[in-house]
Amino acid sequence: MNVELILQNPLNVSTPLLVLPIPRGTDALDGALEAADTLTGGDLQRALDRKDVTGKKEETFLLFPREGNGPERILLVGTGKKEEVTPEILRRIAGKAVRVAEGMKLSSLSFWLDPAASVPEGTFAQAVTEGIVLAAWSFRELKGDDDESPHVEVEALSLISQGNEEEVRRGLLIGLAQARGENLARTLQCRPGNVATPTHLGEEAKRLGKELGLNVTVFGPKEIEEEGMGALLAVAQGSDEPPQFIILEHRGGEKDDAPLVLVGKGLTFDAGGISIKPASGMEDMKFDMSGGAAVIGAMQAVAELSLPINVTGIVPSSENLLNGKAVKPGDVIHTREGKTVEVINTDAEGRLILADALSYAQTLQPAAIVDCATLTGACVIALGHHAAAVLGTDDGLVQELREAGDRSGERCWPLPLWDEYREQLNSTVADLKNVGGRSAGTITAATFLKEFVGETKWAHLDIAGTAYGEGKVSYRRKGGYGSPTRTLLEWIRSRVA
Ligand code: BES
Ligand code: ZN
Ligand code: ZN
C-alpha cells in the first residue's frame, strides 16, 4: 500500500474517491462538509434533510460533485456521536470505505482527517491508516485469476489533513507499520499447514532478518535437543516435519538494557496427536500458529519503526500429528526447565512447546515476557470471540496489556491465577501433568505455563477465540485476524521512554 499525506483543502484534491467522516446529529454544515455540499449543488444538505444520511456508525452514502477538478466521488461514512468516536470506530469506518471502494473497483482513495474530531490527530491518522491497510489486505496467493470479475485492490491511500504535519505523519507511519505487521501475521496464518510448516516460519523469520536487520537464529532438531527442550521434541516426534525454535532479536535500546520478550505458539497444525481431535472443523487447526505469526508480525513492525528498545521474539514451532513414534498419554517427558511432565492428553501440546520457550526466554533476563497462544477451547467458552484472556504474575503488566488492547481494539480481559489452581496439575508419577481437568481450563493452562517463568514478570494471552474468525468487522476478512500483533506493538511502544 502506498500511503501519502496531503496538506491541503480536501475538496481540491483530485481523487477517485474522497471519504468524509460525518458524525451523528450533523445539521449545520461547516468545513469540508459545507464545501462538499456546495460542490454537489446542495445534495448533501438534501440527503440530511431527508434522513438519507444520519451519521449512524458505518452508514455510507455516495455523492457526485458537479464541478471542479477535485474528487470524482465523495463517500460520507457515519461515525456515530462525535464525542463518542474512538480509534476503533475510525478503523471500522476506514475499513468500510475500503469495502465501498472495492465494490466500485477503485484502486485508490483519499481520507479526510477531520480537524474537529474528538480523537487526537496523530491517533486519528494512525487508526485510519490501520483500518485502510488492514481492510485492503487479502489472501489470494493460492487462487487463480477471476477473468469474469478481476479483483481490484485498494493500493493507494492519501490522508488529507490541515493539522500538525509532524503529529499526523508520525501517526501515519506507526499505523502503516502496525497494520503491515498484522497483515504479515494474517498471511502466515492463512497459509495452510502444507505450506506454513515450522521450516517455512523459520525461513520467513530469516527473510525478515535479511530485509530489516533483525538478528535471527533458528534452532533445528539437533540444537533443540542440545538445549534440552524435551517438551518441544516430544510434541514434534509424531510428525515428519522437523521442529524449529525461532529467535528474532531487535536491538534498538542500550546494549545492557533488559529486553522485552515476546513468545508465540507456532503449532503449524494441531491434529491433537494420539488424543486426536474430531474431524469436523479440524482444518482450522492450521491457525494454531497464530501466536507465533503475531510475534513475527510484531517483530517486523518493531524493526520497521526502529523502536529504541530491545525486543526479542521467540516462536517454538512444530506440528502435532500422530504416527508410531508419537508421544502417548501417560508418557513422561523432561522439559528444558528440568521439571518432568506426565502427558495426560497429547492435545494439550501448546503448553508443552511454550514451557520450553518460556524457560529459554528466562535466560535472556528480560524486563518482561508476554506470550500469546491459541491455547484452550475453554477460553472460547469463557469469553467468546470478543476478547482474549490475559493472565500473569504481575498485575501492572496485565494492566498494561489491557490498556494496549483497548487502544488496538483487540481487547483482552483478565482471569485469576491463584495458587489454589496448581493442585489440579498434580501428577502421581511426575512433577506435573499437562491437563488440569474440566474446570477452569484456561486458568490451569496458564498455571502450567507459570511453572516455567521463574521470577520473571510474565503475562499470557490466550487468543483461541480471537486470532481468526468469520471476519464480521469491516477491516477484517474470514480467516486469520493477525491479532494480537497490534496489541503487542501498542504495549511495546508504551514501554519506549
Ligand atoms: N489448539 C488447541 C486449542 C484451541 C481450541 C485453539 C479451539 C483454537 C480453537 C489446543 O492445543 C488444545 O487442543 N487444547 C485442548 C486442551 C485440553 C486437552 C486440556 C482443548 O482446549 O480442548
Ligand atoms: Zn491441541
Ligand atoms: Zn494447539
Side-chain angles (χ1 to χ4, degrees), residues 175-193:
L176 182 59
Q178 295 200 164
R180 280 171 43 81
E182 191 146 288
N183 284 346
L184 169 60
R186 293 163 90 185
T187 298
L188 296 175
Q189 282 180 293
C190 288
R191 287 184 182 152

Side-chain angles (χ1 to χ4, degrees), residues 1-6 125 129 132-133 155-159 169 172-173 175-176 180:
M1 170 87 62
N2 182 3
V3 186
E4 61 167 356
L5 179 58
I6 298 183
T129 308
I132 303 243
V133 175
E155 285 165 348
L157 162 67
S158 312
L159 290 186
R169 194 175 296 282
L172 181 159
L173 291 174
L176 182 59
R180 280 171 43 81

Side-chain angles (χ1 to χ4, degrees), residues 214-351:
L214 290 163
N215 277 326
V216 176
T217 311
V218 181
F219 296 163
K222 188 164 151 282
E223 294 95 336
I224 292 172
E225 183 153 15
E226 282 164 9
E227 272 290 331
M229 297 180 173
L232 174 55
L233 285 176
V235 172
Q237 77 194 35
S239 145
D240 290 343
E241 287 291 338
Q244 307 280 298
F245 190 86
I246 304 162
I247 306 160
L248 308 100
E249 231 186 325
H250 167 81
R251 305 205 57 92
E254 298 296 327
K255 194 169 170 297
D256 297 329
D257 285 353
L260 301 178
V261 177
L262 309 176
V263 177
K265 173 178 175 183
L267 211 292
T268 59
F269 188 77
D270 185 9
I274 298 291
S275 316
I276 194 166
K277 287 182 182 295
S280 167
M282 205 204 266
E283 65 280 7
D284 278 354
M285 283 300 121
K286 73 172 183 178
F287 293 123
D288 212 20
M289 36 60 79
S290 298
V295 167
I296 293 172
M299 291 308 297
Q300 172 180 285
V302 163
E304 277 187 6
L305 290 168
S306 305
L307 294 182
I309 186 166
N310 295 333
V311 186
T312 302
I314 297 178
V315 182
S317 185
S318 169
E319 294 184 324
N320 187 25
L321 299 184
L322 57 163
N323 62 19
K325 292 209 172 62
V327 70
K328 304 174 292 299
D331 286 0
V332 175
I333 61 179
H334 291 263
T335 62
R336 183 186 184 283
E337 192 70 7
K339 297 185 182 183
T340 55
V341 176
E342 181 187 9
V343 177
I344 299 295
N345 188 319
T346 65
D347 198 10
E349 84 300 336
R351 63 197 76 183

